[in-house]
Amino acid sequence: MPGSGKSTVGVLLAKSLALGFVDTDLLIQQSEGRTLQAIVDTEGYQALRRIEERVLCEVSGGHRVISTGGSAVYSERAMAHLSALGVVVFLEVTLPTLRQRLGDFSLRGISKPPEQSLEALLDERNHLYRRYADLTIVSDGRSQHEVCEAIVAGLPEEWRTS
Ligand SMILES: Nc1ncnc2c1ncn2[C@@H]1O[C@H](COP(=O)(O)OP(=O)(O)O)[C@@H](O)[C@H]1O
Ligand SMILES: O=C(O)C1=C[C@@H](OP(=O)(O)O)[C@@H](O)[C@H](O)C1
Ligand SMILES: [Mg+2]
């Protein structure tokens, strides 16, 4: 979910394991020459999901952490590609934590129908996050460093010593 810590913890994880880092939200913005919010505002959330699928399917692996947007899970094809590249980590958060971290989420370019509540979105997505996760890490009540440490501890040995 947006606000679960993928971007910030992803950087910490890359530093901790001496890996590279890429945030696919930035790849989308670079390739489109506009912000995610602008895409949602002009073409709608489904257009953003289509663009995201293309960018995710083109991303390469290697020794790096890939932080995606929270809507990556809407594409089965993209998730199959990411699964083949490495370990898919799900950062689990509850609704109160999300509300606290996101503040006014209407300005965050979330890829969802305007009428869908954050609660309904979380419920819909949690099924998908669990389906694709190789490793699930609770983010609630943990600092970003603690989340990073929990990921490292949960990774298969070959990724911890890459
Ligand atoms: N474990 C955490 N504890 C407290 N705040 C966090 C934690 N993880 C992320 N945040 C905060 O939540 C916001 C969203 O984090 P971000 O890494 O951008 O999430 P995502 O990429 O999943 O949307 C940021 O303000 C970040 O500092
Ligand atoms: O979950 C979503 O619908 C989205 C999350 C965002 O990324 P973060 O999850 O990194 O905030 C970004 O991809 C876009 O605004 C859509
Ligand atoms: Mg992010």
Side-chain angles (χ1 to χ4, degrees), residues 1-9 23 25 67-68 70 91 101-102 108 139-145 147:
M1 281 292 282
S4 60
K6 300 177 297 299
S7 298
T8 52
V9 174
D23 191 314
D25 282 345
S67 288
T68 71
L91 299 185
R101 288 189 195 164
L102 291 178
R108 217 182 147 95
S139 172
D140 277 58
R142 282 176 162 157
S143 70
Q144 282 140 311
H145 280 281
V147 172

Side-chain angles (χ1 to χ4, degrees), residues 48-83:
L48 175 57
R49 288 187 189 173
R50 281 194 297 275
I51 297 166
E52 182 175 40
E53 177 178 56
R54 174 178 54 75
V55 168
L56 289 172
C57 287
E58 286 170 1
V59 81
S60 57
H63 286 249
R64 60 181 182 165
V65 176
I66 301 169
S67 288
T68 71
S71 45
V73 283
Y74 289 110
S75 167
E76 209 174 316
R77 208 158 61 85
M79 291 312 298
H81 176 66
L82 293 173
S83 293

